Every structure is written in structure tokens, then in C-alpha cells.
């Protein structure tokens, strides 16, 4: 069991943002520990061709393993535990997990978000995701569906925007609204102009060998990939207990240096408003880690 002595920084979240910050902070000769409960969204990426430096692509799990190894090389600690509470005591934070509490001079939140999946069994969903039949990030992998049959499943402006975005990769885009029709007249006109067929109503999904099937009423459609645009749940609940400010969407508000409104509390990655990209999360984490180092040095000079 790790020691429960106070750390310079506790990072909550073991995805690209959390691990990048751990690498930076440990190389700043600070004591840092990462809490990773194994739910990073990056781990579900079968292969990314969008991440610079990997021309043949890299899987999300492999990228995280490489980052973990790098952080450990420089002395960071990584524990596979879920943090269930965050509080303050004087000028330090208390991080609670299991039956233990760990004090920290600073905390960085990198808990990310969870995608809302379409209504289908988890096993089928995960298999379809692994095979590229379900995709969640058109910015990441729209290139991979160039000139293929693609469906967007979702409601409102998010689904509309995603369908229009994907139209720049293929002519064959359809939009399915699993609930009631909620498109505005100007959105309908735009979809018609772009040749994007749309319909609403209950949907059923079936994973086939080479395609994913959508049943909409009596009609059946087969696609090379579908993009759920059903929204996501931001995992920011920990910070509300210490008074951090959230956006209307539930994202943690930060300044240009990734500081929250609570001194000593920082955030980076998808839990913060921004482009949900690994490279963006890593950039934010580098800024956050450097800010943490400089803020700690203001409190007590860091010298060898």
C-alpha cells in the first residue's frame, strides 16, 4: 500500500491529460500521484491516426501504457483506485478513496467525460466500437469514413452539426433522431440542401459482419459506421464539494493557466470546455503542470 503522506500534487484521472501532467510534475522533482480508475475514454479508441508522431496509428490503450511507463520512469506514482470525495483542510486538500484519505498541496482534475451510447447491449456496442462500426469523434476519424455509408444518431443541434461536418467526407450521410423530431426549419433546409436524409422515431441496431444495421420502423439501413451524437456526461462532480465553478454544461471553468476559482485546484482535458482531442488535453496538462509548479514555488521556493 502506498504511503499516505502529503503529496505536492494529486492528479485525479489517468487519461492523456492526467498522465501528461504526471510526467511534467515528476520531472519538476515534485511528488505526484495519479488516481486511475480505468475508465479513461482514450482507452476505448481502437486506433488513432490523428495523433502526431504515429504515422501508422496507435491504439488508445497502447498510448496510455506508454505514457504510464514514462511517468513511472521519473518517479510518479499511479494507483488504480477511484476517488470518491474531495475536501479541504486549511491550506491542503484531502483526497478520499476506499477507506483512506490522502493530503495534497494541490489537486488536478482530469476525469474527462463519458459518451452516451446508443440503446444496444454493451457487448455488441463494444465489439462494434472495436471494429470501427461505431465511432464517436468525427474530428479524429472522419477521414476513415471518406466516401463510405455513414449515419449520425442523435438529437438537436449536436446531431445536426455532426451530420453537416461529416458531409465534408462523404455524400452518403443520413441522420436519425431516435426521439421526437426536433430539427429547426433552417436546419431541415440545410440538410436537404446537402442531400442528408433524416428521419425520427425508435431505432434498433444490429451488428453484422461488415456493417451495422439500423431498423427505423419498417425500413432497414446498413452503414459502414455510425456516429452517436447523444451527448456526454461530464465527470466534474468532485469539484462541487470544494466550491469550484462549472459551466452550464457541467465543465470545470478554468483560466488561461488551467486554474479553477479555488486556489490550488486545477483542471485539464475533456472535463474542461474545449476541443475533445488527445493533443488538446495534453497541451492543457502541460500548461496546468507548469502552473502548479510555479504556484507551489511562490508558496515555498523550489530549490535543490
Amino acid at each position: 500500500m502506498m504511503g499516505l503522506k502529503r503529496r505536492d500534487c494529486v492528479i485525479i484521472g489517468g487519461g492523456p491529460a492526467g498522465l501528461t501532467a504526471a510526467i511534467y510534475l515528476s520531472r519538476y522533482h515534485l511528488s505526484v500521484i495519479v488516481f486511475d480508475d480505468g475508465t479513461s475514454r482514450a482507452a476505448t479508441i481502437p486506433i488513432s491516426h490523428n495523433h502526431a508522431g504515429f504515422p501508422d496509428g496507435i491504439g488508445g490503450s497502447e498510448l496510455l501504457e506508454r505514457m504510464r511507463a514514462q511517468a513511472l520512469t521519473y518517479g510518479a506514482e499511479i494507483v488504480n483506485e477511484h476517488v470518491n470525495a474531495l475536501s479541504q483542510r486549511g491550506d491542503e486538500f484531502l483526497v478520499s478513496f476506499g477507506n483512506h484519505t490522502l493530503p495534497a498541496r494541490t489537486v488536478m482534475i482530469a476525469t474527462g467525460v463519458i459518451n452516451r451510447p446508443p440503446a444496444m447491449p454493451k457487448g455488441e456496442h463494444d465489439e462494434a466500437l472495436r471494429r470501427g462500426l461505431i465511432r464517436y469523434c468525427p474530428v479524429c476519424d472522419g477521414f476513415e469514413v471518406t466516401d463510405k455509408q455513414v449515419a449520425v444518431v442523435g438529437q438537436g443541434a449536436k446531431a445536426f452539426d455532426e451530420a453537416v461536418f461529416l458531409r465534408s467526407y462523404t455524400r452518403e450521410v443520413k441522420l436519425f433522431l431516435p426521439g421526437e423530431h426536433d430539427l429547426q426549419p433552417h436546419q431541415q433546409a440545410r440538410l436537404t440542401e446537402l442531400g442528408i436524409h433524416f428521419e425520427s422515431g425508435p431505432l434498433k441496431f444490429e451488428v453484422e459482419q461488415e456493417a451495422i444495421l439500423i431498423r427505423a420502423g419498417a425500413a432497414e439501413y446498413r452503414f459502414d459506421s455510425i456516429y452517436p451524437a447523444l451527448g456526454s456526461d461530464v465527470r466534474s462532480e468532485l469539484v462541487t464539494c470544494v466550491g469550484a465553478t462549472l459551466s452550464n454544461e457541467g465543465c470545470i471553468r478554468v483560466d488561461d493557466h488551467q486554474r479553477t476559482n479555488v486556489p490550488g485546484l486545477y483542471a485539464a482535458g475533456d472535463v474542461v470546455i474545449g476541443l475533445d482531442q488527445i493533443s488538446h488535453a495534453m497541451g492543457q496538462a502541460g500548461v496546468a503542470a507548469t502552473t502548479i509548479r510555479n504556484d507551489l514555488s511562490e508558496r515555498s521556493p523550489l530549490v535543490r
Side-chain angles (χ1 to χ4, degrees):
M1 180 63 190
M2 64 169 182
L4 296 178
K5 65 180 181 180
R6 186 173 71 166
R7 302 307 200 276
D8 291 317
C9 184
V10 166
I11 298 171
I12 304 174
L19 293 173
T20 296
I23 293 167
Y24 273 65
L25 288 165
S26 56
R27 285 174 54 83
Y28 288 142
H29 294 298
L30 296 173
S31 58
V32 55
I33 187 166
V34 179
F35 284 89
D36 180 5
D37 65 1
T39 58
S40 169
R41 188 164 58 159
T44 67
I45 300 172
I47 187 166
S48 172
H49 295 279
N50 214 39
H51 192 52
F54 297 94
D56 297 322
I58 185 168
S61 292
E62 181 183 353
L63 179 63
L64 293 176
E65 280 304 313
R66 290 187 180 205
M67 295 179 73
R68 286 170 67 100
Q70 189 171 352
L72 292 170
T73 295
Y74 293 107
E77 300 171 89
I78 302 174
V79 293
N80 300 321
E81 294 277 359
H82 174 74
V83 173
N84 50 50
L86 180 65
S87 59
Q88 288 181 290
R89 180 180 63 191
D91 62 352
E92 65 181 10
F93 293 90
L94 299 176
V95 179
S96 299
F97 60 102
N99 296 319
H100 305 284
T101 299
L102 179 69
R105 298 177 70 194
T106 63
V107 170
M108 193 187 97
I109 305 293
T111 42
V113 303
I114 299 176
N115 294 319
R116 296 174 188 160
M120 58 191 301
K122 185 179 186 305
E124 291 183 21
H125 168 274
D126 293 350
E127 173 65 13
L129 184 65
R130 186 186 65 80
R131 291 165 50 195
L133 299 175
I134 293 178
R135 300 175 181 269
Y136 280 95
C137 180
V139 173
C140 307
D141 56 24
F143 184 89
E144 274 64 52
V145 299
T146 298
D147 297 330
K148 293 185 176 182
Q149 298 280 342
V150 177
V152 175
V153 178
Q155 301 284 151
K158 178 174 174 58
F160 166 80
D161 290 342
E162 202 150 301
V164 172
F165 183 89
L166 284 162
R167 183 62 179 79
S168 66
Y169 292 100
T170 176
R171 293 176 177 271
E172 305 299 330
V173 180
K174 291 183 172 61
L175 172 59
F176 294 90
L177 296 86
E180 294 184 4
H181 190 310
D182 61 354
L183 293 171
Q184 300 299 311
H186 73 277
Q187 293 173 327
Q188 296 181 52
R190 182 67 169 156
L191 293 174
T192 300
E193 175 190 350
L194 296 174
I196 299 174
H197 171 78
F198 58 93
E199 61 182 276
S200 61
L203 304 174
K204 292 185 178 180
F205 304 90
E206 184 176 327
V207 178
E208 299 183 336
Q209 189 64 35
E210 301 295 335
I212 184 164
L213 180 145
I214 294 181
R215 290 192 177 90
E220 291 186 353
Y221 304 88
R222 285 175 172 81
F223 298 96
D224 297 297
S225 293
I226 68 170
Y227 281 84
L230 299 164
S232 56
D233 297 312
V234 185
R235 299 196 283 187
S236 56
E237 59 276 359
L238 279 175
V239 303
T240 58
C241 297
V242 293
T245 303
L246 305 181
S247 71
N248 292 335
E249 298 82 11
C251 293
I252 301 173
R253 291 190 183 275
V254 294
D255 66 11
D256 292 342
H257 297 277
Q258 306 304 130
R259 299 183 184 98
T260 72
N261 61 300
V262 178
L265 181 65
Y266 308 78
D270 296 348
V271 75
V272 173
I273 292 176
L275 187 66
D276 285 2
Q277 292 286 291
I278 290 174
S279 58
H280 190 244
M282 293 169 71
Q284 287 184 328
V287 171
T290 305
T291 303
I292 291 168
R293 183 260 172 224
N294 292 340
D295 288 351
L296 285 174
S297 187
E298 285 290 322
R299 290 163 58 176
S300 177
L302 300 176
V303 295
R304 294 291 284 176

